[in-house]
Amino acid sequence: ERSWSARALTGETGKALHRTCSRIVRWRPSGLSALALGLSIVYLVLIPPYLSSVDANSMFAVAKSLAVYGNASVPCNLSGAPPGVVGSGGECYSAWYPLISFLAVPLITLGRVAAATVGVDTRYAEEEFALVIPALAAAGAATACAAIAIKLGASRRGALLAALAAGFGTEMLTYARYFFAETTAAFLVALGVWGLTESGRRRMIALLALGLAVLAKPPMIVIGPVLGAVLAIRSRSWRRLVPPTSASALGAVTYLLFNWLRFGDPTQFGGGDRFDVGNYFSLDLFKIVGLLLISPGKGLLWFSPVAVLGALALWRHSRSETGLLCVAGAVGVLVIYIGYPYGGWDWGGRFLVPAIPLLCASLGSLRGRVAIVAITLAAAAAVMQIPTMIAPYERAYAEARQDGIYLEGERWT
């Protein structure tokens, strides 16, 4: 007598499963799908064996708590991470951003299953699976860069150049290996810029991305209104301001609700200095912009020179709607972080990573010698990232500090 499962597999369920498997086997990725798949494979191969950052350990602790206990609290004194901030009910919570933690929950669950199956340490399996998030986000950001490049008039080969330059010739390669929110924010911002010039479902996806970007990194709340204002001014219709601004506002409301659930106060982000805007009115404005863009210890010019070339090339497209959105989005990211230019122990300008896909999109339309220059700059920057592929860059900073060298104050040397 056949069991229930056997009858199910020979009935409608079995037929549906057979159809699904057949479609998977016959699927042949092409265009942007193939690019996304290829980039994802490379980034997944480069995933490091463990988390190395205090920020990462704090956000990972939130994801693990959600996966195991069903709540967002963390230990008040967590090894390898900043102390938790005391909130509602005496529980402690992380001061970092929630989206990447929530996205990692199912992957941590898979990691626990894998660890039990093959008999390895659960912690390492959980961390390895969690690191899939920034890797896939970087692949998505580079793919979105290619999609934007096509909108700017690039050929398929040019779009591929733009994607490879953004994905492997900039700091995004380094941060694809860290459990940080930068690559997630880069993907969401690029997806938002790409989709705002579309209609129907694609436009709705763009608005969703702009809302989620606020949960990825709260300063991204500026991007939606900036993009909306550009669309409104260009079309002379203030109606186009409403959707992007509303999307960012909805993301902000969701974040405030999350704060209220954790701390009983919507305006409590986990510390009084988390979003200090005092430096925005600093008289050293030009020095701060120079620090972010041209300083040898941090500037975009040195760590991602091909993105600077992309910014120059982007001006040729500023009359088109897509080009103007790229310019506005990149400038918006820069303005956001003028008030917090240093950013602790970072490899280059970590906070400018969300602007990189927008800046590199114009590279796809370069021709002749300028295209060769772009390839050369991207290759040089890729070589520059090799040390971060071998070991965490924080290790070098820690050893320098032991020798009395404080790199935070040496950004110009």
Side-chain angles (χ1 to χ4, degrees):
E1 184 178 351
R2 290 184 294 180
S3 64
W4 177 87
S5 58
R7 291 196 304 271
L9 289 176
T10 57
E12 292 301 323
T13 304
K15 293 178 181 179
L17 180 61
H18 180 268
R19 288 195 298 269
T20 302
C21 292
S22 298
R23 289 173 183 172
I24 293 174
V25 170
R26 291 195 303 267
W27 181 63
R28 296 291 185 272
S30 60
L32 293 176
S33 298
L35 176 61
L37 179 60
L39 291 169
S40 298
I41 291 172
V42 175
Y43 279 124
L44 290 175
V45 169
L46 296 175
I47 287 179
Y50 63 93
L51 303 181
S52 60
S53 163
V54 293
D55 302 28
N57 279 286
S58 183
M59 292 186 288
F60 172 81
V62 176
K64 183 171 181 177
S65 182
L66 287 166
V68 178
Y69 306 110
N71 64 69
S73 64
V74 299
C76 293
N77 291 296
L78 181 65
S79 175
V85 181
V86 179
S88 300
E91 298 282 352
C92 290
Y93 298 90
S94 170
W96 271 261
Y97 320 122
L99 182 62
I100 192 171
S101 298
F102 279 85
L103 292 176
V105 170
L107 290 167
I108 288 178
T109 303
L110 289 175
R112 294 174 65 85
V113 173
T117 302
V118 300
V120 299
D121 187 277
T122 303
R123 169 76 183 194
Y124 289 117
E126 291 169 341
E127 291 184 358
E128 196 74 4
F129 274 74
L131 284 165
V132 168
I133 297 296
L136 293 183
T143 304
C145 176
I148 295 172
I150 292 173
K151 282 179 172 287
L152 294 176
S155 63
R156 294 183 64 178
R157 181 178 297 181
L160 177 62
L161 168 65
L164 294 178
F168 300 107
T170 68
E171 295 152 86
M172 196 158 68
L173 175 59
T174 293
Y175 291 109
R177 304 177 73 248
Y178 283 79
F179 198 66
F180 290 157
E182 269 63 37
T183 58
T184 305
F187 170 54
L188 293 172
V189 170
L191 187 61
V193 169
W194 168 80
L196 281 180
T197 56
E198 298 286 331
S199 60
R201 184 174 61 180
R202 291 182 175 183
R203 185 174 177 82
M204 294 302 298
I205 291 174
L207 297 176
L208 176 62
L210 292 175
L212 290 176
V214 181
L215 298 177
K217 297 205 74 173
M220 296 297 112
I221 189 176
V222 173
I223 301 301
V226 167
L227 298 180
V230 167
L231 292 174
I233 293 172
R234 191 174 189 279
S235 64
R236 298 181 181 179
S237 172
W238 290 104
R239 292 182 178 179
R240 301 195 70 181
L241 172 65
V242 176
T245 303
S246 300
S248 293
L250 183 58
V253 170
T254 304
Y255 205 123
L256 295 177
L257 177 61
F258 182 60
N259 288 343
W260 177 73
L261 292 174
R262 294 185 298 166
F263 302 113
D265 181 359
T267 62
Q268 171 61 272
F269 287 86
D273 60 346
R274 292 294 292 144
F275 302 105
D276 183 9
V277 296
N279 288 333
Y280 278 90
F281 303 99
S282 171
L283 296 178
D284 293 330
L285 177 63
F286 291 105
K287 178 181 178 181
I288 292 173
V289 172
L291 182 72
L292 291 170
L293 297 182
I294 64 174
S295 70
K298 192 179 182 70
L300 193 70
L301 177 64
W302 297 94
F303 288 82
S304 301
V306 73
V308 177
L309 178 62
L312 298 176
L314 192 57
W315 281 109
R316 295 192 308 166
H317 303 280
S318 59
R319 292 185 179 181
S320 69
E321 190 168 80
T322 301
L324 196 57
L325 287 175
C326 287
V327 172
V331 172
V333 172
L334 174 63
V335 170
I336 287 170
Y337 290 113
I338 285 177
Y340 188 56
Y342 299 98
W345 288 6
D346 295 332
W347 181 262
R350 167 183 159 191
F351 293 149
L352 297 185
V353 170
I356 284 177
L358 306 182
L359 297 176
C360 290
S362 62
L363 298 173
S365 59
L366 298 180
R367 299 289 185 273
R369 294 180 180 179
V370 183
I372 295 175
V373 171
I375 294 171
T376 303
L377 291 176
V383 172
M384 187 177 182
Q385 315 299 319
I386 290 177
T388 68
M389 301 294 106
I390 299 172
Y393 64 82
E394 298 105 326
R395 180 62 184 173
Y397 294 167
E399 291 181 358
R401 173 163 288 190
Q402 290 175 358
D403 295 334
I405 302 173
Y406 295 90
L407 299 180
E408 292 89 339
E410 303 293 335
R411 299 301 189 184
W412 290 94
T413 59

